mmCIF file of all heavy atoms in Angstrom:
data_model
loop_
_atom_site.group_PDB
_atom_site.id
_atom_site.type_symbol
_atom_site.label_atom_id
_atom_site.label_comp_id
_atom_site.label_asym_id
_atom_site.label_seq_id
_atom_site.Cartn_x
_atom_site.Cartn_y
_atom_site.Cartn_z
ATOM 1 N N LYS A 1310 -0.243 24.156 -0.320
ATOM 2 C CA LYS A 1310 -1.684 24.047 -0.659
ATOM 3 C C LYS A 1310 -2.201 25.522 -0.944
ATOM 4 O O LYS A 1310 -2.876 25.698 -1.997
ATOM 5 C CB LYS A 1310 -2.484 23.487 0.446
ATOM 6 C CG LYS A 1310 -2.198 22.039 0.735
ATOM 7 C CD LYS A 1310 -2.937 21.576 1.997
ATOM 8 C CE LYS A 1310 -2.515 20.178 2.418
ATOM 9 N NZ LYS A 1310 -3.294 19.749 3.561
ATOM 10 N N LYS A 1311 -1.824 26.448 -0.211
ATOM 11 C CA LYS A 1311 -2.279 27.815 -0.408
ATOM 12 C C LYS A 1311 -1.711 28.365 -1.683
ATOM 13 O O LYS A 1311 -2.418 29.118 -2.409
ATOM 14 C CB LYS A 1311 -1.943 28.718 0.730
ATOM 15 C CG LYS A 1311 -2.659 28.457 1.977
ATOM 16 C CD LYS A 1311 -2.245 29.340 3.163
ATOM 17 C CE LYS A 1311 -3.030 29.058 4.441
ATOM 18 N NZ LYS A 1311 -2.504 29.965 5.539
ATOM 19 N N MET A 1312 -0.417 28.037 -2.079
ATOM 20 C CA MET A 1312 0.138 28.477 -3.291
ATOM 21 C C MET A 1312 -0.621 27.910 -4.482
ATOM 22 O O MET A 1312 -0.883 28.629 -5.483
ATOM 23 C CB MET A 1312 1.640 28.062 -3.338
ATOM 24 C CG MET A 1312 2.325 28.482 -4.617
ATOM 25 S SD MET A 1312 3.818 27.620 -4.953
ATOM 26 C CE MET A 1312 3.203 26.010 -5.362
ATOM 27 N N GLU A 1318 -6.761 30.513 -8.497
ATOM 28 C CA GLU A 1318 -7.525 31.786 -8.419
ATOM 29 C C GLU A 1318 -7.002 32.832 -9.397
ATOM 30 O O GLU A 1318 -7.756 33.767 -9.756
ATOM 31 C CB GLU A 1318 -7.581 32.329 -6.979
ATOM 32 C CG GLU A 1318 -8.448 31.547 -6.050
ATOM 33 C CD GLU A 1318 -8.416 31.908 -4.637
ATOM 34 O OE1 GLU A 1318 -7.568 32.616 -4.213
ATOM 35 O OE2 GLU A 1318 -9.409 31.506 -3.885
ATOM 36 N N ARG A 1328 -1.096 18.396 -13.985
ATOM 37 C CA ARG A 1328 0.165 17.957 -14.770
ATOM 38 C C ARG A 1328 1.424 18.493 -14.238
ATOM 39 O O ARG A 1328 2.372 17.696 -14.019
ATOM 40 C CB ARG A 1328 0.009 18.351 -16.243
ATOM 41 C CG ARG A 1328 1.064 17.825 -17.118
ATOM 42 C CD ARG A 1328 0.822 18.108 -18.667
ATOM 43 N NE ARG A 1328 0.440 19.511 -18.847
ATOM 44 C CZ ARG A 1328 -0.762 20.025 -19.219
ATOM 45 N NH1 ARG A 1328 -1.712 19.147 -19.415
ATOM 46 N NH2 ARG A 1328 -0.939 21.253 -19.504
ATOM 47 N N TRP A 1340 -8.638 21.247 -1.801
ATOM 48 C CA TRP A 1340 -7.855 22.412 -1.408
ATOM 49 C C TRP A 1340 -8.507 23.759 -1.768
ATOM 50 O O TRP A 1340 -8.456 24.684 -0.983
ATOM 51 C CB TRP A 1340 -6.427 22.385 -2.023
ATOM 52 C CG TRP A 1340 -5.600 21.182 -1.540
ATOM 53 C CD1 TRP A 1340 -5.871 20.298 -0.480
ATOM 54 C CD2 TRP A 1340 -4.324 20.849 -2.021
ATOM 55 N NE1 TRP A 1340 -4.878 19.411 -0.365
ATOM 56 C CE2 TRP A 1340 -3.882 19.708 -1.263
ATOM 57 C CE3 TRP A 1340 -3.497 21.298 -2.986
ATOM 58 C CZ2 TRP A 1340 -2.628 19.143 -1.500
ATOM 59 C CZ3 TRP A 1340 -2.245 20.776 -3.223
ATOM 60 C CH2 TRP A 1340 -1.819 19.650 -2.423
ATOM 61 N N GLY A 1352 -16.838 42.802 3.519
ATOM 62 C CA GLY A 1352 -15.857 43.025 2.413
ATOM 63 C C GLY A 1352 -14.493 42.345 2.654
ATOM 64 O O GLY A 1352 -13.609 42.379 1.828
ATOM 65 N N ASN A 1356 -11.200 32.133 4.387
ATOM 66 C CA ASN A 1356 -11.327 30.906 3.697
ATOM 67 C C ASN A 1356 -11.938 29.875 4.683
ATOM 68 O O ASN A 1356 -12.064 30.139 5.895
ATOM 69 C CB ASN A 1356 -10.009 30.403 3.165
ATOM 70 C CG ASN A 1356 -8.948 30.201 4.208
ATOM 71 O OD1 ASN A 1356 -9.171 29.639 5.192
ATOM 72 N ND2 ASN A 1356 -7.784 30.754 3.914
ATOM 73 N N LEU A 1377 -16.340 29.536 33.980
ATOM 74 C CA LEU A 1377 -16.144 30.733 34.887
ATOM 75 C C LEU A 1377 -17.447 31.170 35.554
ATOM 76 O O LEU A 1377 -17.436 31.544 36.704
ATOM 77 C CB LEU A 1377 -15.543 31.859 34.049
ATOM 78 C CG LEU A 1377 -14.033 31.675 33.640
ATOM 79 C CD1 LEU A 1377 -13.605 32.798 32.636
ATOM 80 C CD2 LEU A 1377 -13.131 31.606 34.888
#
Side-chain angles (χ1 to χ4, degrees):
K1310 295 176 186 179
K1311 288 178 181 178
M1312 180 198 71
E1318 289 176 341
R1328 185 174 48 250
W1340 291 354
N1356 59 49
L1377 290 173

